[in-house]
Amino acid sequence: MPLRGLAKAKNFTLGPTAPMKTFTENIHIQTKESNNFRNSGKSHKLTNNIQNENLFRYESKIKSDFDEIVPTLKEIAQIQHQEDFINKAQKISRKNLGIDLPLHVLDKSWVKPLDMRALYAWCAFKQHEKLSDNFFNNDPLEGAAGSRDAEDFEKFLLDCGIHLLDITPCSDGRLAHSVAYVMRIPFSTVRRRSHAGALFDIENTVNRWVKTEHKRYRENVPNEAHKDTRYLKVVTYHFSSVDPLHQGCAAHGSNDELAAAEGRNKLYAFKEAVENSFCCGASVDLMLIGLDTDTDSLKIHLSTSDGGIDLDKTISTLEIYNSTINFSKEDAEREICQTISKQSSKDKLSGLEKFTYKLIINNISQIDYVKSFHNGSYEDIGHAERFIGVGIGFKEVHLRNLTYFAHLDTVEEGAPDLDVGVKIFSGLNVSQDLPIPVVIRFDYSGKVPGAKERAINDCERVNNAISIRYKNLVDQGLLHTCSTIRDRDNIHSAQIIGMSLDKKTEEAH
Ligand SMILES: [Zn+2]
Ligand SMILES: [Zn+2]
């Protein structure tokens, strides 16, 4: 069902051609009469404050694990010529970072200056390992398959007529939290494929579509093939309301209009591919969403009268937030329903309207999250990722500005994505003489004979390609890699199979 949202024209905003002003300005404009609620700590009646607290605790813990690396290494650098250095260094590292440092690097401190670059990369890799272990063992975001939230959401999707939700955000680290935080969707219920500029791979997505339909025919999973439900493909491009000309999408030269238009082109191409390749009215549903990386609010693009995606007409969750901030819960719900549909009760919504309603409600919590924990607009409006993730997998990464993704099978295929990442990290790390930590990951299916060996080979292949493509950086110790694999059919976390800073004679273990 097309998303028209024609009921209330007042909530229409121009598309990304007219980026919103800063969050703070917006709020001040809207609330002159209501006594500057920013300082009153008031949140929206539809906000889930308990969930916000939990998500913030998780974000703070993980980020501080990475951000403690530099101060800790500085502390260690100062004592490298002291008696009993290795023990003292390990003690500091365990206390501050909760990890041990590699002996073969510390060992050499008597004969040459400590290799701080190697230590930095090691720490980043071990913190990633810790994050991964915690994620798969403890489900800190409560979104794992089989969790209550995930099961509820799967049911909800089917109610909306969606049998698979497939989202491609830009691989920019400022969108890495878009599923678990911005949209508040249990991570296991969505297929996430990040790509630079949100420009997903058509063939790959058609393959997934085929697989999904096949599973419905063969196994009735998630529902029977004759049920009238669709595959929903979502593209999330991004823009910056605070600094639109510089902090937009690097892959589109911070041109928001272009980011939206090219996202739509991909969506149309995917739909056409499915419709042309398969009979019996096979088709898919499409959705285009813009994410403001400063406030985490969304611009959801509306449908045109002929069922296409309107590049100019959008629903802004920030405007909805601001216009309903003084409403009771019931009034706010009614207002949102009327904004997106002809209905005035959420119970009467169906299809994509029902899905959109949920997205808006969920995003209102995130707007309050940014408001209360990040002063309404993130301090790191630009890039501040901690490592690059290359390959296939990384289900465990759901935090803003933690990881730059380069989703790829081969370095040749993913070279443009990876080059953008290396460029970003040249500014972030190399300019400060710190190395670029690259985690390589290949997930495999433990049920398939030989898959694990192939995943290990894939890691080695990509690792070699990286050391050739970025030889200059690698030779100077300014780019380190850590190869990891994970059995996706299992609950276990990722396993490190080797690092570029391993002792040369040592076998990878
Ligand atoms: Zn791909
Ligand atoms: Zn981007």
Side-chain angles (χ1 to χ4, degrees):
M1 179 188 296
L3 182 67
R4 288 209 187 79
L6 297 173
K8 286 211 168 178
K10 75 182 165 79
N11 265 304
F12 281 2
T13 55
L14 281 174
T17 42
M20 228 170 281
K21 287 191 188 130
T22 68
F23 189 57
T24 36
E25 272 172 22
N26 245 304
I27 286 172
H28 286 148
I29 293 163
Q30 305 250 357
T31 57
K32 261 177 197 145
E33 321 93 296
S34 67
N35 261 340
N36 188 6
F37 67 76
R38 267 194 83 220
N39 298 327
S40 70
K42 177 177 166 182
S43 64
H44 199 283
K45 293 286 189 307
L46 292 171
T47 290
N48 185 339
N49 287 308
I50 294 169
Q51 190 185 41
N52 276 3
E53 300 269 338
N54 291 338
L55 288 173
F56 182 63
R57 208 172 306 124
Y58 180 71
E59 182 184 22
S60 315
K61 171 75 182 86
I62 304 288
K63 292 240 173 108
S64 81
D65 276 353
F66 282 89
D67 297 344
E68 280 301 310
I69 294 175
V70 167
T72 301
L73 292 182
K74 279 185 181 164
E75 201 180 331
I76 288 171
Q78 281 172 5
I79 61 161
Q80 62 179 304
H81 299 298
Q82 286 184 15
E83 194 75 3
D84 199 23
F85 163 67
I86 294 183
N87 281 328
K88 282 180 182 164
Q90 294 291 32
K91 227 173 132 180
I92 293 170
S93 175
R94 266 174 230 144
K95 180 172 150 266
N96 295 1
L97 306 173
I99 56 175
D100 280 334
L101 298 173
L103 266 183
H104 72 276
V105 177
L106 295 182
D107 252 352
K108 291 184 190 128
S109 67
W110 69 275
V111 59
K112 59 178 187 182
L114 261 184
D115 185 350
M116 298 312 290
R117 290 175 181 169
L119 288 181
Y120 177 88
W122 168 273
C123 292
F125 295 149
K126 292 307 264 187
Q127 295 300 36
H128 165 258
E129 184 184 37
K130 225 165 67 182
L131 147 87
S132 175
D133 287 347
N134 176 44
F135 184 84
F136 292 108
N137 295 333
N138 306 321
D139 191 19
L141 295 174
E142 298 177 340
S147 67
R148 214 195 61 206
D149 286 357
E151 285 185 352
D152 288 351
F153 198 81
E154 277 161 16
K155 240 178 266 150
F156 167 78
L157 282 178
L158 286 174
D159 280 350
C160 296
I162 301 164
H163 58 249
L164 187 81
L165 175 59
D166 176 342
I167 301 182
T168 289
C170 178
S171 45
D172 189 311
R174 292 170 297 172
L175 282 80
H177 66 319
S178 51
V179 168
Y181 281 70
V182 177
M183 301 181 186
R184 303 283 166 107
I185 296 175
F187 67 89
S188 63
T189 63
V190 31
R191 173 186 195 245
R192 176 180 65 167
R193 283 289 180 280
S194 305
H195 282 283
L199 301 176
F200 64 92
D201 188 278
I202 307 278
E203 279 79 13
N204 184 288
T205 312
V206 171
N207 284 345
R208 180 56 199 251
W209 180 85
V210 171
K211 226 169 130 182
T212 304
E213 299 307 313
H214 188 256
K215 221 177 160 107
R216 294 174 70 214
Y217 275 106
R218 300 277 307 195
E219 301 172 34
N220 294 334
V221 174
N223 62 355
E224 296 150 47
H226 65 81
K227 288 265 165 63
D228 185 23
T229 55
R230 299 275 190 98
Y231 184 118
L232 175 62
K233 179 72 198 176
V234 180
V235 158
T236 312
Y237 69 92
H238 60 106
F239 59 93
S240 164
S241 57
V242 173
D243 188 1
L245 295 180
H246 304 102
Q247 298 297 351
C249 184
H252 296 109
S254 283
N255 182 340
D256 308 336
E257 216 176 10
L258 188 67
E262 293 200 346
R264 184 176 73 169
N265 287 346
K266 280 280 179 190
L267 288 170
Y268 283 176
F270 170 53
K271 185 172 183 165
E272 212 181 307
V274 169
E275 288 174 354
N276 290 348
S277 313
F278 302 91
C279 60
C280 320
S283 189
V284 292
D285 275 337
L286 309 174
M287 200 168 200
L288 181 65
I289 299 178
L291 166 62
D292 176 5
T293 52
D294 302 317
T295 64
D296 278 350
S297 63
L298 301 174
K299 283 187 178 180
I300 303 168
H301 285 259
L302 297 170
S303 306
T304 55
S305 51
D306 58 355
I309 296 167
D310 200 315
L311 286 181
D312 298 322
K313 284 185 187 146
T314 60
I315 291 174
S316 156
T317 57
L318 187 57
E319 281 186 18
I320 290 177
Y321 178 99
N322 284 327
S323 65
T324 56
I325 181 69
N326 290 317
F327 286 27
S328 69
K329 188 167 175 279
E330 291 71 27
D331 287 349
E333 285 178 348
R334 189 178 323 113
E335 175 71 17
I336 296 169
C337 282
Q338 290 171 346
T339 302
I340 61 168
S341 75
K342 295 190 182 78
Q343 309 295 342
S344 54
S345 156
K346 60 178 176 175
D347 303 323
K348 294 206 175 104
L349 296 175
S350 63
L352 276 190
E353 286 179 353
K354 190 180 173 79
F355 179 72
T356 305
Y357 174 83
K358 181 93 159 180
L359 215 51
I360 293 170
I361 302 278
N362 288 359
N363 187 243
I364 282 174
S365 286
Q366 184 64 10
I367 292 174
D368 262 331
Y369 181 90
V370 179
K371 203 176 104 187
S372 44
F373 300 120
H374 299 281
N375 292 317
S377 177
Y378 287 108
E379 223 160 71
D380 50 344
I381 64 167
H383 287 280
E385 290 95 335
R386 276 66 170 182
F387 64 92
I388 295 180
V390 181
I392 293 169
F394 292 106
K395 264 197 167 30
E396 69 270 40
V397 175
H398 291 281
L399 289 177
R400 183 181 184 275
N401 254 342
L402 183 70
T403 313
Y404 175 89
F405 286 113
H407 166 83
L408 53 84
D409 277 321
T410 64
V411 168
E412 301 78 58
E413 174 216 336
D417 282 26
L418 195 52
D419 287 346
V420 172
V422 169
K423 193 175 152 211
I424 289 166
F425 271 79
S426 295
L428 288 176
N429 288 21
V430 176
S431 67
Q432 305 196 55
D433 283 315
L434 291 172
I436 306 173
V438 179
V439 178
I440 300 168
R441 161 73 54 77
F442 280 91
D443 281 5
Y444 64 93
S445 172
K447 293 177 198 153
V448 178
K452 182 175 180 180
E453 287 65 33
R454 282 191 288 277
I456 293 172
N457 288 339
D458 285 340
C459 283
E460 274 164 19
R461 196 167 39 77
V462 167
N463 192 22
N464 288 335
I466 285 175
S467 59
I468 294 166
R469 191 172 183 89
Y470 308 106
K471 185 171 187 304
N472 200 13
L473 290 170
V474 173
D475 287 350
Q476 299 175 70
L478 283 171
L479 191 155
H480 277 291
T481 56
C482 172
S483 298
T484 64
I485 55 170
R486 196 179 86 84
D487 181 353
R488 71 165 71 92
D489 299 331
N490 224 311
I491 49 157
H492 296 311
S493 61
Q495 181 193 348
I496 295 181
I497 55 166
M499 289 188 199
S500 57
L501 45 85
D502 283 345
K503 248 198 245 175
K504 287 288 172 280
T505 49
E506 212 174 53
E507 271 280 312
H509 49 84

